Amino acid sequence: METIFNRRSVRKYTDKVISDEQLKQIIKAGMAAPSAKNSQEWVFIVIRDKEIYKAFLGVHPNAFSLNTATAAILVCADLSKEREPGQGWWIQDCAAAMENMLLEATAMGLGSLWMGVHPKEDRIACIKEVCGLPEGIEPLGLMSVGEPTKDYDKIDRYMEDRVFFNTYGTKWEK
Ligand SMILES: Cc1cc2nc3c(=O)[nH]c(=O)nc-3n(C[C@H](O)[C@H](O)[C@H](O)COP(=O)(O)O)c2cc1C
């Protein structure tokens, strides 16, 4: 799966507009993610409104990819759809969906970035207000997407000292 090693955080995009069809393909990949008890409690909001980007930039300076993005997708959970309410599985479920989306965008030759919303209170409050999220819809993160302005190196972050065998601290001799 070369896509995994090609995915990089892209924070600057060209002015090429990403189509709705491309965004649908990315969201479809998000919805293919595993979820606890198959809850699939996710909700996605396609955001193209620059005023919303501006508002989020006001609470999160490291969201500057929104200065050049032509599209962003907000990943949220609809807590009423959780199969085990109150357990917090939605965070892992939505994170899996987000990662799937980043990988799909990479496979499509696009750049993307995961911008953290949860658990930062000010970012959550901002997103809830500007995107009009009703009670029970919780934002996990925002993904920007676009055509990268440059090529990125592949990732190889394998760390031998982080892998153990059977018990913590026992070297995995392979
Ligand atoms: C939960 C989460 C939140 C993140 N939030 C931001 C963010 O708000 N802004 C940003 O520029 N990058 C953000 N990143 C991207 C990381 O900085 C990036 O993944 C890391 O530096 C490794 O680089 P790579 O994605 O190119 O491999 C986030 C990543 C994760 C998983």
Side-chain angles (χ1 to χ4, degrees):
M1 238 291 247
E2 276 310 289
T3 303
I4 289 176
F5 302 104
N6 285 327
R7 184 213 55 78
R8 298 302 311 274
S9 290
V10 175
R11 299 180 175 88
K12 195 168 182 203
Y13 307 108
T14 70
D15 54 10
K16 185 159 183 250
V17 176
I18 304 306
S19 71
D20 286 341
E21 287 67 33
Q22 287 173 301
L23 295 177
K24 185 174 173 185
Q25 179 62 30
I26 291 167
I27 293 169
K28 204 170 168 182
M31 290 188 186
S35 58
K37 291 200 168 171
N38 202 17
S39 290
Q40 300 178 58
E41 69 274 70
W42 35 60
V43 178
F44 302 85
I45 302 181
V46 171
I47 308 174
R48 292 197 191 267
D49 185 343
K50 301 264 186 219
E51 290 303 313
I52 293 180
Y53 296 172
K54 222 163 93 184
F56 191 57
L57 275 159
V59 291
H60 187 17
N62 283 336
F64 55 83
S65 73
L66 293 172
N67 286 322
T68 53
T70 58
I73 301 169
L74 180 68
V75 182
C76 304
D78 179 344
L79 299 184
S80 72
K81 294 190 165 54
E82 282 182 300
R83 293 265 162 90
E84 274 191 345
Q87 295 290 298
W89 293 114
W90 69 270
I91 298 168
Q92 294 166 72
D93 297 345
C94 289
M98 176 70 94
E99 178 69 7
N100 267 17
M101 288 166 47
L102 299 176
L103 292 174
E104 181 63 23
T106 305
M108 292 164 72
L110 301 173
S112 58
L113 178 72
W114 179 339
M115 285 165 285
V117 177
H118 180 89
K120 294 281 190 186
E121 290 298 339
D122 55 343
R123 299 182 202 170
I124 294 170
C126 170
I127 283 290
K128 282 188 172 180
E129 191 192 329
V130 293
C131 294
L133 304 187
E135 186 76 25
I137 305 294
E138 283 299 321
L140 181 280
L142 183 63
M143 170 189 173
S144 60
V145 60
E147 185 182 66
T149 56
K150 58 171 191 171
D151 292 334
Y152 289 79
D153 291 336
K154 263 187 189 332
I155 297 171
D156 182 353
R157 295 184 181 138
Y158 188 75
M159 290 183 267
E160 213 159 87
D161 62 342
R162 298 286 184 93
V163 186
F164 302 126
F165 187 61
N166 288 330
T167 53
Y168 185 87
T170 306
K171 204 170 156 44
W172 184 35
E173 306 286 358
K174 54 174 187 341

